[in-house]
Amino acid sequence: MSVTTHTGGSILGHPVKRTEDQELITGAGLYTGDLPVEGSLHAVFVRSPIAHGTLGDIDVEEARSMPGVVAIYTAADLDVADRPGLPGVVPDAMARPHLAKGKVRFVGDIVAAVIGETAGQALDAAETVFPDIEPLPAVTGIEEAFAEGAPLLFDEVGSNLAAGAGTGDVEGIFDEADVVVEGKFLNQRVAGVPMEPNACVAEPGTPEGGITLWLSTQTPHGARDALAGDLGLEADQVRVVAPRVGGGFGPKATAYPEYTIAAKAALLLGRPVRWNETRSENMLSMVHGRSQVQWVELGVKRSGKIVGLRASVIGDGGAYPAVGTILPSLTQLLAQGVYDIPAIDFAWKTVVTNTTTVGAYRGAGRPEATQLLERIIDMAADEIGVDPLEMRRMNYLQPEQYPMTSLTGAEYDNADHEKALDAAIQASGYQELLAEQKRRRDAGDRVALGIGVGSYVEVTAPLGLDGEYGSAQAHPDGTFTVMAGTSAHGQGHETAFAQLASSVLGVPMEKVKVVQSDTAVVRSGAGTLGSRSLQTGGSAIHNASQELVSRAREIAAHLLEAAVEDIEHSDDGFGVRGVAGNTITWQQVATASEDGTGLEDGNGRALREDLDFKQGQSSFPFGTHISVVEVDLDTGMVKPLRHVAVDDCGKILNPMLVAGQQHGGIAQGISQALFERVTFDEDGNPTTGNLASYTIPSAADLCSYEASNTETPTHLNPIGAKGIGESGTIGSTPAVHNAVIDALSPLGVRHIDMPLTPEAVWRAIHGASASDPGTRHQAGPEYAGKSETEHVPDGTDA
């Protein structure tokens, strides 16, 4: 890919090399664990080895006497308020104590914190702390949490239900269907596994009477507010800085209890306290993702036209339900997908289990929606004998139907789904693939070829996250500073935001400094999550830069004794229209603003513009992925051969950054389909607690990606951009899943739950009927007027 350097004029839409990479590649960038904070103490956390139990005394006497131990804290020693799960949604009784009290509710629940002079001394002492825990029966399965007599995590609540809602029953939803296909799908629990685990450094006394925390976080301002609430401080007494962050993927949008405990200890002891999470700790305590059981029914005509969709979803909130509680609501929001579905009946619930808390993970509720929809459509296409690509085409929403509100309340802005499908068909050589598949089947080849498709729509800047702070400032030395309330963890914000400012200001990118991720410098911000950064933070910088140009034109008009409307802005600065050789540079304008000579009132001030951009609603990227796999029918091994992705994220600012996001998302999506799964035994003990037992792929396990784009600019923001950070994850998983089932379909295999490991595939090959959780039947009068609970379990009648 060629790289364009900027010497003036617009560079939007061109591939521009990432400006942050030199520092990252050479190791010059500082991560939280690298920060040289003098006099730091070290925190080590004692965690429950039991998933569910009554917590009694905690023996810390031996630990207190060990070398280097400065302090030991239990819930009785540390005055910190419980953390509410999700106010107004989750019952108050399900709030999480920072240090367990009364009960432990998952393996990894924190029962004590040891503060030592060194990490080794703190660890040695922590290993001598023994909590007295009386074991209680544990519940780890989503369906089991609803069963009669299931162990209760919060006795005062009276059930394991954290939240739930739905569209309401739709009478006669399948009356016009010729065929109703149903399936039960598991969207398995996965771990974020960022290269850098969680980390924090807490330094007391700065600001005065407060504290500064360096965190490996995606949301500095959100973390600040949560920590201030925990500590009983005002927001301006807590400063949060995110230095370089080694991967986020959603889990680092959480303000972890370890941060609060370290901060409280620092305030009590008057010394900095730091914590670097180990990988095994990370697998226990960092929030997990996905974890849904889905019951789905799709009614169709023999022609392939969809009549109606009924679905019931139960999500797992883990031991202390938080933002993960409402992720099934995003699954409901996108249940219509890209299709013209006449009727949708959707219900969701979230339960608590004796497992690690579930939170946001790349896609967060939206991949689950696409997965259930794309799997049931493939099953229906197989049942009625329609090509799965053509079944999608005949049911697509059409461009002229946009903007529109879906049956589940999604305010779609625009889309052209057939354009993306056709681009994927052409790029993949679909007919040639079908011919090769037929050849192998006719020859009885033991290496089967599978072809899968996934069409998706994704919501970006969701849940009210459609606004952001931004600023632009010109300095007398000819440089510029722009700020945004987002916070980078590898996406290329510094490049993208400098590109935007450069284009508007008419200056080289090298002159633009991007400032982010520090709550003491950046006024406000929602952080980086939900694929929102460019359309919100980027638009804020774009608009602030435009206002900066407008102010500069006023100053230039004053200096040049001309009317503002006669001032032209060019790459050289500001001049009077039609008058050659009389130009005011940005340096001169910024100087005249600061010393007051360029202002009518003569009162000097910085040449700076701050604003809050508000988009007004979410945007909805879309696309189609086609996956090609080989399946060894003797071993069950799946080999990805090709992955063709056509993703539409609106107007593209920098194709290089878009491709990077596509590639990362596709890798994680394929990995969920084939490799990753967090598991627990019946007692709640993690059985995938490290990277020897939790399988993630290397590059050698994946294929090269053929990623391209269509462009359908949105009208919602001035740059026409939609999100791209999670699209690859959403489109790839069902495409790969469908490809594997397609390869096995001649054997009668209709579904295998993810991950499609060699063992799972081998078992399906050798006992397809026993492993098939889906059923199929003809529609009939028995469906007329029946409620959702008569066909799709929702757990309430378990």
PDB file of all heavy atoms in Angstrom, residues 176-207:
ATOM      1  N   GLU A 176     -48.379 -17.277   8.235  1.00  0.00           N
ATOM      2  CA  GLU A 176     -48.196 -17.256   6.778  1.00  0.00           C
ATOM      3  C   GLU A 176     -46.971 -18.047   6.336  1.00  0.00           C
ATOM      4  O   GLU A 176     -46.639 -18.075   5.149  1.00  0.00           O
ATOM      5  CB  GLU A 176     -48.067 -15.808   6.296  1.00  0.00           C
ATOM      6  CG  GLU A 176     -49.258 -14.917   6.631  1.00  0.00           C
ATOM      7  CD  GLU A 176     -50.537 -15.467   6.029  1.00  0.00           C
ATOM      8  OE1 GLU A 176     -50.505 -15.906   4.856  1.00  0.00           O
ATOM      9  OE2 GLU A 176     -51.570 -15.479   6.734  1.00  0.00           O
ATOM     10  N   ALA A 177     -46.287 -18.697   7.265  1.00  0.00           N
ATOM     11  CA  ALA A 177     -45.063 -19.418   6.918  1.00  0.00           C
ATOM     12  C   ALA A 177     -45.376 -20.786   6.341  1.00  0.00           C
ATOM     13  O   ALA A 177     -46.308 -21.463   6.774  1.00  0.00           O
ATOM     14  CB  ALA A 177     -44.182 -19.561   8.142  1.00  0.00           C
ATOM     15  N   ASP A 178     -44.579 -21.186   5.375  1.00  0.00           N
ATOM     16  CA  ASP A 178     -44.642 -22.564   4.865  1.00  0.00           C
ATOM     17  C   ASP A 178     -43.784 -23.487   5.724  1.00  0.00           C
ATOM     18  O   ASP A 178     -44.097 -24.672   5.897  1.00  0.00           O
ATOM     19  CB  ASP A 178     -44.147 -22.631   3.416  1.00  0.00           C
ATOM     20  CG  ASP A 178     -45.031 -21.849   2.461  1.00  0.00           C
ATOM     21  OD1 ASP A 178     -46.256 -21.807   2.682  1.00  0.00           O
ATOM     22  OD2 ASP A 178     -44.495 -21.267   1.501  1.00  0.00           O
ATOM     23  N   VAL A 179     -42.695 -22.957   6.231  1.00  0.00           N
ATOM     24  CA  VAL A 179     -41.749 -23.745   7.026  1.00  0.00           C
ATOM     25  C   VAL A 179     -41.282 -22.896   8.196  1.00  0.00           C
ATOM     26  O   VAL A 179     -41.033 -21.696   8.046  1.00  0.00           O
ATOM     27  CB  VAL A 179     -40.522 -24.177   6.184  1.00  0.00           C
ATOM     28  CG1 VAL A 179     -39.489 -24.896   7.035  1.00  0.00           C
ATOM     29  CG2 VAL A 179     -40.945 -25.047   5.008  1.00  0.00           C
ATOM     30  N   VAL A 180     -41.176 -23.501   9.360  1.00  0.00           N
ATOM     31  CA  VAL A 180     -40.569 -22.854  10.523  1.00  0.00           C
ATOM     32  C   VAL A 180     -39.345 -23.668  10.924  1.00  0.00           C
ATOM     33  O   VAL A 180     -39.448 -24.870  11.156  1.00  0.00           O
ATOM     34  CB  VAL A 180     -41.552 -22.750  11.703  1.00  0.00           C
ATOM     35  CG1 VAL A 180     -40.847 -22.190  12.949  1.00  0.00           C
ATOM     36  CG2 VAL A 180     -42.743 -21.887  11.329  1.00  0.00           C
ATOM     37  N   VAL A 181     -38.219 -23.018  10.955  1.00  0.00           N
ATOM     38  CA  VAL A 181     -36.965 -23.668  11.339  1.00  0.00           C
ATOM     39  C   VAL A 181     -36.554 -23.123  12.693  1.00  0.00           C
ATOM     40  O   VAL A 181     -36.658 -21.917  12.945  1.00  0.00           O
ATOM     41  CB  VAL A 181     -35.857 -23.395  10.295  1.00  0.00           C
ATOM     42  CG1 VAL A 181     -34.557 -24.060  10.701  1.00  0.00           C
ATOM     43  CG2 VAL A 181     -36.300 -23.876   8.922  1.00  0.00           C
ATOM     44  N   GLU A 182     -36.103 -24.007  13.572  1.00  0.00           N
ATOM     45  CA  GLU A 182     -35.715 -23.535  14.889  1.00  0.00           C
ATOM     46  C   GLU A 182     -34.370 -24.116  15.283  1.00  0.00           C
ATOM     47  O   GLU A 182     -33.947 -25.156  14.792  1.00  0.00           O
ATOM     48  CB  GLU A 182     -36.776 -23.869  15.935  1.00  0.00           C
ATOM     49  CG  GLU A 182     -36.944 -25.353  16.219  1.00  0.00           C
ATOM     50  CD  GLU A 182     -37.997 -25.604  17.289  1.00  0.00           C
ATOM     51  OE1 GLU A 182     -39.015 -24.884  17.312  1.00  0.00           O
ATOM     52  OE2 GLU A 182     -37.793 -26.534  18.104  1.00  0.00           O
ATOM     53  N   GLY A 183     -33.696 -23.419  16.165  1.00  0.00           N
ATOM     54  CA  GLY A 183     -32.405 -23.873  16.654  1.00  0.00           C
ATOM     55  C   GLY A 183     -32.123 -23.302  18.017  1.00  0.00           C
ATOM     56  O   GLY A 183     -32.688 -22.278  18.419  1.00  0.00           O
ATOM     57  N   LYS A 184     -31.272 -23.961  18.722  1.00  0.00           N
ATOM     58  CA  LYS A 184     -30.764 -23.483  19.993  1.00  0.00           C
ATOM     59  C   LYS A 184     -29.262 -23.297  19.838  1.00  0.00           C
ATOM     60  O   LYS A 184     -28.545 -24.251  19.488  1.00  0.00           O
ATOM     61  CB  LYS A 184     -31.070 -24.477  21.114  1.00  0.00           C
ATOM     62  CG  LYS A 184     -30.494 -24.077  22.460  1.00  0.00           C
ATOM     63  CD  LYS A 184     -30.749 -25.187  23.485  1.00  0.00           C
ATOM     64  CE  LYS A 184     -30.048 -24.874  24.795  1.00  0.00           C
ATOM     65  NZ  LYS A 184     -30.206 -25.997  25.770  1.00  0.00           N
ATOM     66  N   PHE A 185     -28.776 -22.092  20.090  1.00  0.00           N
ATOM     67  CA  PHE A 185     -27.386 -21.754  19.839  1.00  0.00           C
ATOM     68  C   PHE A 185     -26.717 -21.277  21.124  1.00  0.00           C
ATOM     69  O   PHE A 185     -27.323 -20.550  21.918  1.00  0.00           O
ATOM     70  CB  PHE A 185     -27.263 -20.636  18.789  1.00  0.00           C
ATOM     71  CG  PHE A 185     -28.020 -20.887  17.515  1.00  0.00           C
ATOM     72  CD1 PHE A 185     -28.701 -19.847  16.890  1.00  0.00           C
ATOM     73  CD2 PHE A 185     -28.059 -22.143  16.935  1.00  0.00           C
ATOM     74  CE1 PHE A 185     -29.403 -20.056  15.713  1.00  0.00           C
ATOM     75  CE2 PHE A 185     -28.762 -22.371  15.749  1.00  0.00           C
ATOM     76  CZ  PHE A 185     -29.435 -21.323  15.136  1.00  0.00           C
ATOM     77  N   LEU A 186     -25.468 -21.630  21.275  1.00  0.00           N
ATOM     78  CA  LEU A 186     -24.643 -21.104  22.359  1.00  0.00           C
ATOM     79  C   LEU A 186     -23.632 -20.127  21.783  1.00  0.00           C
ATOM     80  O   LEU A 186     -22.858 -20.482  20.894  1.00  0.00           O
ATOM     81  CB  LEU A 186     -23.901 -22.235  23.077  1.00  0.00           C
ATOM     82  CG  LEU A 186     -22.856 -21.787  24.101  1.00  0.00           C
ATOM     83  CD1 LEU A 186     -23.519 -21.078  25.284  1.00  0.00           C
ATOM     84  CD2 LEU A 186     -22.015 -22.963  24.586  1.00  0.00           C
ATOM     85  N   ASN A 187     -23.679 -18.899  22.273  1.00  0.00           N
ATOM     86  CA  ASN A 187     -22.626 -17.929  21.964  1.00  0.00           C
ATOM     87  C   ASN A 187     -21.690 -17.958  23.159  1.00  0.00           C
ATOM     88  O   ASN A 187     -21.976 -17.361  24.195  1.00  0.00           O
ATOM     89  CB  ASN A 187     -23.234 -16.542  21.746  1.00  0.00           C
ATOM     90  CG  ASN A 187     -22.462 -15.740  20.725  1.00  0.00           C
ATOM     91  OD1 ASN A 187     -21.423 -15.191  21.058  1.00  0.00           O
ATOM     92  ND2 ASN A 187     -22.960 -15.667  19.504  1.00  0.00           N
ATOM     93  N   GLN A 188     -20.603 -18.682  23.037  1.00  0.00           N
ATOM     94  CA  GLN A 188     -19.811 -19.054  24.204  1.00  0.00           C
ATOM     95  C   GLN A 188     -19.102 -17.869  24.843  1.00  0.00           C
ATOM     96  O   GLN A 188     -18.872 -16.837  24.226  1.00  0.00           O
ATOM     97  CB  GLN A 188     -18.782 -20.127  23.814  1.00  0.00           C
ATOM     98  CG  GLN A 188     -17.488 -19.630  23.176  1.00  0.00           C
ATOM     99  CD  GLN A 188     -17.581 -19.499  21.677  1.00  0.00           C
ATOM    100  OE1 GLN A 188     -18.636 -19.235  21.117  1.00  0.00           O
ATOM    101  NE2 GLN A 188     -16.445 -19.673  20.993  1.00  0.00           N
ATOM    102  N   ARG A 189     -18.752 -18.051  26.097  1.00  0.00           N
ATOM    103  CA  ARG A 189     -17.989 -17.052  26.857  1.00  0.00           C
ATOM    104  C   ARG A 189     -16.559 -17.015  26.324  1.00  0.00           C
ATOM    105  O   ARG A 189     -15.918 -18.050  26.101  1.00  0.00           O
ATOM    106  CB  ARG A 189     -18.009 -17.436  28.337  1.00  0.00           C
ATOM    107  CG  ARG A 189     -17.174 -16.550  29.245  1.00  0.00           C
ATOM    108  CD  ARG A 189     -17.162 -17.102  30.658  1.00  0.00           C
ATOM    109  NE  ARG A 189     -18.420 -16.882  31.342  1.00  0.00           N
ATOM    110  CZ  ARG A 189     -18.583 -16.042  32.366  1.00  0.00           C
ATOM    111  NH1 ARG A 189     -17.556 -15.334  32.817  1.00  0.00           N
ATOM    112  NH2 ARG A 189     -19.758 -15.906  32.952  1.00  0.00           N
ATOM    113  N   VAL A 190     -16.050 -15.799  26.132  1.00  0.00           N
ATOM    114  CA  VAL A 190     -14.672 -15.627  25.670  1.00  0.00           C
ATOM    115  C   VAL A 190     -13.968 -14.604  26.556  1.00  0.00           C
ATOM    116  O   VAL A 190     -14.594 -13.828  27.266  1.00  0.00           O
ATOM    117  CB  VAL A 190     -14.610 -15.182  24.185  1.00  0.00           C
ATOM    118  CG1 VAL A 190     -15.165 -16.253  23.272  1.00  0.00           C
ATOM    119  CG2 VAL A 190     -15.345 -13.864  23.986  1.00  0.00           C
ATOM    120  N   ALA A 191     -12.636 -14.621  26.497  1.00  0.00           N
ATOM    121  CA  ALA A 191     -11.812 -13.689  27.271  1.00  0.00           C
ATOM    122  C   ALA A 191     -11.165 -12.681  26.332  1.00  0.00           C
ATOM    123  O   ALA A 191     -10.841 -13.010  25.182  1.00  0.00           O
ATOM    124  CB  ALA A 191     -10.740 -14.441  28.059  1.00  0.00           C
ATOM    125  N   GLY A 192     -10.957 -11.454  26.825  1.00  0.00           N
ATOM    126  CA  GLY A 192     -10.369 -10.402  26.002  1.00  0.00           C
ATOM    127  C   GLY A 192      -8.906 -10.634  25.689  1.00  0.00           C
ATOM    128  O   GLY A 192      -8.439 -10.346  24.588  1.00  0.00           O
ATOM    129  N   VAL A 193      -8.144 -11.146  26.623  1.00  0.00           N
ATOM    130  CA  VAL A 193      -6.719 -11.479  26.474  1.00  0.00           C
ATOM    131  C   VAL A 193      -5.925 -10.363  25.791  1.00  0.00           C
ATOM    132  O   VAL A 193      -5.253 -10.599  24.792  1.00  0.00           O
ATOM    133  CB  VAL A 193      -6.530 -12.816  25.715  1.00  0.00           C
ATOM    134  CG1 VAL A 193      -5.131 -13.379  25.980  1.00  0.00           C
ATOM    135  CG2 VAL A 193      -7.572 -13.835  26.094  1.00  0.00           C
ATOM    136  N   PRO A 194      -5.962  -9.140  26.293  1.00  0.00           N
ATOM    137  CA  PRO A 194      -5.112  -8.110  25.698  1.00  0.00           C
ATOM    138  C   PRO A 194      -3.643  -8.426  25.957  1.00  0.00           C
ATOM    139  O   PRO A 194      -3.306  -9.090  26.950  1.00  0.00           O
ATOM    140  CB  PRO A 194      -5.535  -6.828  26.425  1.00  0.00           C
ATOM    141  CG  PRO A 194      -6.038  -7.317  27.744  1.00  0.00           C
ATOM    142  CD  PRO A 194      -6.686  -8.647  27.466  1.00  0.00           C
ATOM    143  N   MET A 195      -2.769  -7.956  25.079  1.00  0.00           N
ATOM    144  CA  MET A 195      -1.345  -8.226  25.266  1.00  0.00           C
ATOM    145  C   MET A 195      -0.856  -7.686  26.606  1.00  0.00           C
ATOM    146  O   MET A 195      -0.056  -8.313  27.284  1.00  0.00           O
ATOM    147  CB  MET A 195      -0.551  -7.606  24.119  1.00  0.00           C
ATOM    148  CG  MET A 195       0.920  -7.961  24.144  1.00  0.00           C
ATOM    149  SD  MET A 195       1.810  -7.346  22.684  1.00  0.00           S
ATOM    150  CE  MET A 195       1.080  -8.382  21.408  1.00  0.00           C
ATOM    151  N   GLU A 196      -1.351  -6.508  26.999  1.00  0.00           N
ATOM    152  CA  GLU A 196      -1.040  -5.945  28.310  1.00  0.00           C
ATOM    153  C   GLU A 196      -2.215  -6.192  29.238  1.00  0.00           C
ATOM    154  O   GLU A 196      -3.300  -5.664  29.016  1.00  0.00           O
ATOM    155  CB  GLU A 196      -0.791  -4.433  28.192  1.00  0.00           C
ATOM    156  CG  GLU A 196      -0.519  -3.761  29.526  1.00  0.00           C
ATOM    157  CD  GLU A 196      -0.723  -2.245  29.499  1.00  0.00           C
ATOM    158  OE1 GLU A 196      -1.484  -1.755  28.633  1.00  0.00           O
ATOM    159  OE2 GLU A 196      -0.137  -1.570  30.352  1.00  0.00           O
ATOM    160  N   PRO A 197      -2.037  -6.962  30.314  1.00  0.00           N
ATOM    161  CA  PRO A 197      -3.130  -7.113  31.287  1.00  0.00           C
ATOM    162  C   PRO A 197      -3.409  -5.787  31.997  1.00  0.00           C
ATOM    163  O   PRO A 197      -2.767  -4.768  31.737  1.00  0.00           O
ATOM    164  CB  PRO A 197      -2.577  -8.173  32.254  1.00  0.00           C
ATOM    165  CG  PRO A 197      -1.499  -8.877  31.505  1.00  0.00           C
ATOM    166  CD  PRO A 197      -0.893  -7.831  30.612  1.00  0.00           C
ATOM    167  N   ASN A 198      -4.355  -5.804  32.922  1.00  0.00           N
ATOM    168  CA  ASN A 198      -4.671  -4.594  33.679  1.00  0.00           C
ATOM    169  C   ASN A 198      -3.465  -4.131  34.493  1.00  0.00           C
ATOM    170  O   ASN A 198      -2.623  -4.933  34.912  1.00  0.00           O
ATOM    171  CB  ASN A 198      -5.846  -4.845  34.630  1.00  0.00           C
ATOM    172  CG  ASN A 198      -7.174  -4.812  33.899  1.00  0.00           C
ATOM    173  OD1 ASN A 198      -7.352  -4.072  32.941  1.00  0.00           O
ATOM    174  ND2 ASN A 198      -8.128  -5.623  34.355  1.00  0.00           N
ATOM    175  N   ALA A 199      -3.402  -2.836  34.738  1.00  0.00           N
ATOM    176  CA  ALA A 199      -2.302  -2.272  35.518  1.00  0.00           C
ATOM    177  C   ALA A 199      -2.712  -0.903  36.022  1.00  0.00           C
ATOM    178  O   ALA A 199      -3.507  -0.206  35.388  1.00  0.00           O
ATOM    179  CB  ALA A 199      -1.036  -2.156  34.668  1.00  0.00           C
ATOM    180  N   CYS A 200      -2.160  -0.523  37.186  1.00  0.00           N
ATOM    181  CA  CYS A 200      -2.414   0.813  37.699  1.00  0.00           C
ATOM    182  C   CYS A 200      -1.253   1.269  38.564  1.00  0.00           C
ATOM    183  O   CYS A 200      -0.533   0.453  39.144  1.00  0.00           O
ATOM    184  CB  CYS A 200      -3.725   0.885  38.473  1.00  0.00           C
ATOM    185  SG  CYS A 200      -3.690   0.134  40.112  1.00  0.00           S
ATOM    186  N   VAL A 201      -1.079   2.579  38.634  1.00  0.00           N
ATOM    187  CA  VAL A 201      -0.192   3.226  39.595  1.00  0.00           C
ATOM    188  C   VAL A 201      -0.998   4.359  40.210  1.00  0.00           C
ATOM    189  O   VAL A 201      -1.541   5.199  39.494  1.00  0.00           O
ATOM    190  CB  VAL A 201       1.087   3.787  38.944  1.00  0.00           C
ATOM    191  CG1 VAL A 201       1.944   4.491  39.996  1.00  0.00           C
ATOM    192  CG2 VAL A 201       1.889   2.689  38.258  1.00  0.00           C
ATOM    193  N   ALA A 202      -1.087   4.372  41.544  1.00  0.00           N
ATOM    194  CA  ALA A 202      -1.854   5.403  42.256  1.00  0.00           C
ATOM    195  C   ALA A 202      -0.898   6.238  43.084  1.00  0.00           C
ATOM    196  O   ALA A 202      -0.190   5.703  43.942  1.00  0.00           O
ATOM    197  CB  ALA A 202      -2.904   4.755  43.150  1.00  0.00           C
ATOM    198  N   GLU A 203      -0.868   7.554  42.831  1.00  0.00           N
ATOM    199  CA  GLU A 203       0.029   8.460  43.552  1.00  0.00           C
ATOM    200  C   GLU A 203      -0.799   9.493  44.307  1.00  0.00           C
ATOM    201  O   GLU A 203      -1.514  10.291  43.698  1.00  0.00           O
ATOM    202  CB  GLU A 203       0.982   9.157  42.588  1.00  0.00           C
ATOM    203  CG  GLU A 203       2.001  10.045  43.291  1.00  0.00           C
ATOM    204  CD  GLU A 203       3.033  10.622  42.348  1.00  0.00           C
ATOM    205  OE1 GLU A 203       2.743  10.736  41.141  1.00  0.00           O
ATOM    206  OE2 GLU A 203       4.132  10.962  42.830  1.00  0.00           O
ATOM    207  N   PRO A 204      -0.721   9.489  45.643  1.00  0.00           N
ATOM    208  CA  PRO A 204      -1.549  10.416  46.426  1.00  0.00           C
ATOM    209  C   PRO A 204      -0.974  11.824  46.441  1.00  0.00           C
ATOM    210  O   PRO A 204       0.208  12.044  46.184  1.00  0.00           O
ATOM    211  CB  PRO A 204      -1.490   9.795  47.825  1.00  0.00           C
ATOM    212  CG  PRO A 204      -0.138   9.142  47.886  1.00  0.00           C
ATOM    213  CD  PRO A 204       0.119   8.630  46.489  1.00  0.00           C
ATOM    214  N   GLY A 205      -1.852  12.790  46.731  1.00  0.00           N
ATOM    215  CA  GLY A 205      -1.415  14.167  46.933  1.00  0.00           C
ATOM    216  C   GLY A 205      -1.427  15.041  45.711  1.00  0.00           C
ATOM    217  O   GLY A 205      -1.196  16.249  45.806  1.00  0.00           O
ATOM    218  N   THR A 206      -1.685  14.472  44.556  1.00  0.00           N
ATOM    219  CA  THR A 206      -1.773  15.269  43.326  1.00  0.00           C
ATOM    220  C   THR A 206      -3.030  14.856  42.581  1.00  0.00           C
ATOM    221  O   THR A 206      -3.154  13.688  42.187  1.00  0.00           O
ATOM    222  CB  THR A 206      -0.559  15.027  42.420  1.00  0.00           C
ATOM    223  OG1 THR A 206      -0.428  13.621  42.175  1.00  0.00           O
ATOM    224  CG2 THR A 206       0.717  15.527  43.060  1.00  0.00           C
ATOM    225  N   PRO A 207      -4.000  15.743  42.356  1.00  0.00           N
ATOM    226  CA  PRO A 207      -4.001  17.138  42.815  1.00  0.00           C
ATOM    227  C   PRO A 207      -4.093  17.245  44.340  1.00  0.00           C
ATOM    228  O   PRO A 207      -4.249  16.221  45.012  1.00  0.00           O
ATOM    229  CB  PRO A 207      -5.254  17.712  42.143  1.00  0.00           C
ATOM    230  CG  PRO A 207      -6.133  16.523  41.913  1.00  0.00           C
ATOM    231  CD  PRO A 207      -5.224  15.373  41.629  1.00  0.00           C
TER     232      PRO A 207
END
